[in-house]
């Protein structure tokens, strides 16, 4: 994707994010920019120049409210993609897609799922603070998460550029391929959903982003980041962000103001087809 196309993609994603913001504002749903979009907000006042997606987060209660009302409240040219609304979508988070566009990721090109331009919407669940319990819990979640991906023909190993890493990556997923053959999609969804929500009645010390492509524990955020939310400008538009964005970003990225090496500034999602 050349820089001109990337910028057009970013501005189209911004329009989707503004529609999500409208629905949330009109229905008293608390959301926040997160992940790379929050990093871009703080470090670049907008998109990270080489970033190719937008991310929005919600605590679980707010997320459940959003996915319940969004199909009715979103404008008709948008589609709320969840594993319930799209039988070929294996992830336990949502995407808001703009109908009439095409945005194909290499890893999911054979899934048969909707492939329009999107903005991710991630639920945040309470996670255990005890490291051993967290590891045990994470292993269970990853079993269902990766098995669902295999059942829906997601190929995470294609993210590797080196051939030998792709081979080893595919080998890693063979147990999940076998497990997926032995269990129904509905059973895998039900069990992952139950585990994601397991600790939500406990007092939160940490939250984990549910459904991400990384291993469980990759995105563990201190709960005090979300005690308050505050508005920040992103590409000139006011969006809500975690009240303690600095703590959030340090927890995930470390020295987040340091730019990555030039060779790591890339088409991270390996977009292979774009039509706006």
């Amino acid at each position: 994707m050349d820089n001109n196309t990337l910028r057009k993609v970013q501005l189209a994603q911004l329009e989707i994010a503004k529609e999500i913001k409208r629905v949330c504002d009109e229905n008293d749903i608390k959301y926040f920019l997160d992940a790379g979009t929050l990093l871009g907000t703080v470090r670049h006042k907008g998109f990270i120049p080489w970033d190719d997606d937008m991310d929005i987060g919600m605590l679980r209660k707010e997320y459940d409210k959003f996915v319940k009302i969004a199909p009715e409240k979103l404008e008709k040219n948008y589609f709320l993609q969840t594993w319930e609304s799209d039988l070929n979508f294996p992830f336990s988070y949502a995407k808001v897609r703009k109908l009439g566009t095409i945005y194909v990721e290499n890893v999911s090109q054979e899934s048969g799922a909707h492939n329009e331009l999107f903005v991710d919407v991630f639920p945040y669940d309470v996670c255990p603070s005890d490291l051993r319990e967290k590891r045990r819990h994470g292993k269970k979640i990853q079993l269902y998460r990766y098995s669902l991906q295999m059942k829906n023909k997601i190929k995470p190993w294609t993210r590797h550029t080196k051939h030998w890493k792709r081979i080893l990556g595919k080998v890693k997923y063979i147990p999940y391929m076998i497990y997926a053959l032995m269990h129904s999609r509905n059973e895998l969804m039900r069990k992952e959903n139950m585990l994601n929500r397991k600790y939500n009645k406990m007092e939160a010390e940490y939250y984990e982003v549910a459904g991400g492509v990384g291993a469980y524990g990759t995105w563990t955020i201190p709960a005090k980041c979300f005690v308050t939310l505050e508005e920040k400008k992103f590409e000139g538009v006011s969006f809500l962000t975690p009240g303690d964005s600095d703590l959030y970003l340090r927890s995930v990225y470390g020295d987040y103001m340091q730019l990555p090496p030039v060779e790591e500034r890339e088409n991270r999602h390996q977009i292979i087809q774009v039509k706006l």
Side-chain angles (χ1 to χ4, degrees):
M1 191 168 15
D2 60 56
N3 289 337
N4 184 52
T5 301
L6 175 59
R7 187 56 181 163
K8 289 179 180 178
V9 164
Q10 290 175 340
L11 293 177
Q13 289 168 335
L14 178 62
E15 291 304 308
I16 301 174
K18 287 164 66 176
E19 174 65 4
I20 296 170
K21 166 184 162 65
R22 180 191 67 79
V23 171
C24 289
D25 288 346
E26 292 179 0
N27 294 277
D28 193 29
I29 296 173
K30 299 297 187 293
Y31 70 92
F32 45 86
L33 301 183
D34 71 338
T37 304
L38 179 61
L39 175 58
T41 304
V42 173
R43 195 170 68 190
H44 303 275
K45 309 304 179 187
F47 283 98
I48 297 172
W50 53 90
D51 201 5
D52 53 11
D53 78 337
M54 276 194 76
D55 303 301
I56 288 176
M58 302 175 188
L59 301 186
R60 175 62 72 174
K61 183 178 179 181
E62 305 296 312
Y63 174 87
D64 284 347
K65 184 177 178 182
F66 177 78
V67 297
K68 182 178 181 180
I69 70 169
E72 176 186 349
K73 300 296 184 180
L74 288 168
E75 294 293 334
K76 298 305 179 186
N77 58 325
Y78 294 101
F79 171 68
L80 180 72
Q81 184 183 38
T82 65
W83 57 12
E84 287 93 359
S85 68
D86 185 342
L87 297 181
N88 294 309
F89 184 71
F91 302 109
S92 58
Y93 61 92
K95 293 177 182 282
V96 175
R97 293 190 180 266
K98 185 176 182 181
L99 298 174
T101 65
I102 298 175
Y103 199 63
V104 181
E105 296 178 78
N106 187 29
V107 299
S108 59
Q109 61 177 304
E110 298 180 15
S111 69
H114 275 256
N115 60 8
E116 299 89 355
L117 189 68
F118 65 88
V119 168
D120 288 319
V121 182
F122 291 103
Y124 280 57
D125 291 301
V126 178
C127 72
S129 54
D130 180 79
L131 290 179
R132 285 185 295 181
E133 174 62 18
K134 183 178 176 181
R135 290 192 192 100
R136 287 194 294 266
H137 187 62
K139 286 180 180 179
K140 293 177 183 178
I141 286 181
Q142 283 174 212
L143 172 62
Y144 305 126
R145 179 184 296 178
Y146 292 157
S147 297
L148 273 166
Q149 291 180 33
M150 297 305 98
K151 189 169 281 290
N152 284 116
K153 299 180 181 179
I154 305 296
K155 299 181 177 180
W157 53 87
T158 61
R159 288 192 174 91
H160 297 298
T161 56
K162 295 181 185 288
H163 183 65
W164 66 270
K165 285 189 175 181
R166 288 192 175 199
I167 294 174
L168 290 179
K170 187 172 183 179
V171 169
K172 166 190 167 182
Y173 282 92
I174 288 175
Y176 303 110
M177 296 177 192
I178 296 171
Y179 195 84
L181 291 173
M182 299 168 59
H183 296 82
S184 71
R185 182 175 184 272
N186 285 342
E187 180 185 2
L188 296 172
M189 286 169 48
R190 179 180 60 81
K191 289 184 175 180
E192 184 186 343
N193 188 46
M194 178 182 66
L195 286 171
N196 283 337
R197 299 166 181 264
K198 180 177 179 179
Y199 300 97
N200 282 345
K201 292 183 179 180
M202 297 173 55
E203 183 176 353
E205 185 176 357
Y206 294 97
Y207 286 102
E208 179 74 18
V209 182
V213 295
Y216 184 90
T218 305
W219 293 86
T220 301
I221 315 295
K224 58 185 177 182
C225 293
F226 309 109
V227 172
T228 61
L229 300 176
E230 63 178 30
E231 288 192 347
K232 292 185 187 295
K233 292 287 188 179
F234 179 90
E235 299 288 341
V237 181
S238 291
F239 286 94
L240 291 176
T241 64
D244 196 338
S245 294
D246 174 68
L247 177 58
Y248 181 111
L249 293 171
R250 283 190 287 109
S251 299
V252 175
Y253 298 108
D255 182 10
Y256 60 87
M257 295 302 289
Q258 180 69 39
L259 294 177
V262 174
E263 61 270 17
E264 294 181 14
R265 305 173 194 178
E266 58 186 359
N267 177 358
R268 182 167 56 89
H269 289 87
Q270 296 182 336
I271 305 304
I272 60 174
Q273 186 180 357
V274 177
K275 180 182 177 181
L276 302 178

